[in-house]
Amino acid sequence: SREPARAADHASPPLREMMKALGHNRAFFFLLGAFFLHTVDSGVLTSAIAYYVTYVLEKDTDFLSLMFLLQFGSTIVAIPVWMMLGRRFGKFAVFIAALLIQAVMVSFYALLSDSTPTPIVLATIVAVGMAEGGIQVFAFSMLSDCINHHSKQEGAVAAEALFTGVFIAGEKLGYAVGTLIGGLVFSLAGLVATTQGAVAQPQSAIDGIRWATSIIPALVNVAAIGLFLFYRSFEREVVRLDQLEAATA
């Protein structure tokens, strides 16, 4: 037999009230903006990495697979280290450090070539992946801080799902915008498209690939750091409230 419908414990707040709560959370928008810019960087880099491996490093698809494996693997492995650093130095400082490290390391891609020793190439890839681990873990941890801070305010409406949904939508949009930027760079640089494997590319195309895998992602990450600096006052408030709760517990 069908289970009878259960009444909701409480009515959902009106969408207008939830949007108002979202608009008043300035810290959330600073975090969202910084993370959006970072995902733009990731979108540009991802759109270019296969071309980079083929035409700059002059490696095959097996190396591309190894590159993805190392980057994603190092992202996961580094998360416990970043969490430890976050407890020691605070989420704000460590998140900025992760963004800065990744900006520096992706800029190194501009210096690599087919003659670069493979261990140096792999070490750069691992460093980029490890920095990504810190960015991901603290972005979502600070999203939780923004939501918790909102829920503790007097008269606050329940808008957790809206905050999370907007944040994830911003992440997806960032990847899409980054991919679009990468495509525009390749078009302007004169990249020769092919489905027949590697073909001769003009020097402008090689330069465009280097820009899309290094300079552009690095600059976008620096812009993310600049925007995220406005989050600092909120971070101090979160720490103050946590200390107050610990003292009264």
Side-chain angles (χ1 to χ4, degrees):
S1 62
R2 180 179 298 179
E3 182 180 356
R6 299 179 181 179
D9 293 335
H10 56 82
S12 298
L15 179 60
R16 181 179 178 181
E17 292 297 320
M18 291 193 293
M19 295 301 294
K20 184 178 178 180
L22 184 68
H24 288 172
N25 197 320
R26 295 175 68 246
F28 171 77
F29 281 102
F30 291 138
L31 175 62
L32 174 63
F35 193 58
F36 169 80
L37 288 173
H38 168 68
T39 54
V40 170
D41 136 50
S42 298
V44 176
L45 182 59
T46 301
S47 70
I49 201 68
Y51 296 120
Y52 181 79
V53 169
T54 301
Y55 295 111
V56 177
L57 299 181
E58 298 185 4
K59 304 290 187 181
D60 57 17
T61 55
D62 289 339
F63 188 86
L64 179 62
S65 299
L66 175 62
M67 187 174 187
F68 278 117
L69 178 63
L70 284 176
Q71 184 165 331
F72 289 121
S74 58
T75 296
I76 295 171
V77 169
I79 286 177
V81 177
W82 286 113
M83 293 178 67
M84 179 185 68
L85 292 172
R87 288 190 293 268
R88 175 66 177 85
F89 299 105
K91 299 175 186 179
F92 176 83
V94 179
F95 184 68
I96 286 183
L99 286 170
L100 182 60
I101 291 171
Q102 190 171 89
V104 171
M105 297 314 301
V106 295
S107 68
F108 282 176
Y109 282 150
L111 306 177
L112 304 181
S113 67
D114 60 313
S115 61
T116 304
T118 299
I120 294 178
V121 176
L122 297 181
T124 304
I125 295 167
V126 168
V128 171
M130 292 180 70
E132 183 66 23
I135 295 168
Q136 291 291 329
V137 72
F138 289 116
F140 284 93
S141 178
M142 289 183 289
L143 169 62
S144 179
D145 290 339
C146 291
I147 295 173
N148 290 337
H149 181 74
H150 163 75
S151 65
K152 292 176 182 178
Q153 295 178 358
E154 184 177 354
V157 298
E160 293 86 353
L162 181 62
F163 279 96
T164 304
V166 170
F167 195 78
I168 293 175
E171 178 185 24
K172 302 301 182 184
L173 179 61
Y175 281 120
V177 171
T179 302
L180 177 61
I181 292 173
L184 290 174
V185 170
F186 302 145
S187 178
L188 293 173
L191 181 72
V192 179
T194 177
T195 59
Q196 306 299 322
V199 298
Q201 297 287 351
Q203 184 58 45
S204 61
I206 303 299
D207 293 340
I209 293 169
R210 287 185 180 276
W211 272 81
T213 51
S214 57
I215 306 303
I216 294 175
L219 290 177
V220 175
N221 256 2
V222 170
I225 293 173
L227 179 59
F228 188 68
L229 291 175
F230 291 100
Y231 184 90
R232 179 58 172 165
S233 60
F234 176 75
E235 171 74 6
R236 290 171 177 162
E237 178 67 10
V238 170
V239 171
R240 186 188 69 82
L241 291 176
D242 287 346
Q243 293 174 342
L244 183 61
E245 287 183 1
T248 57

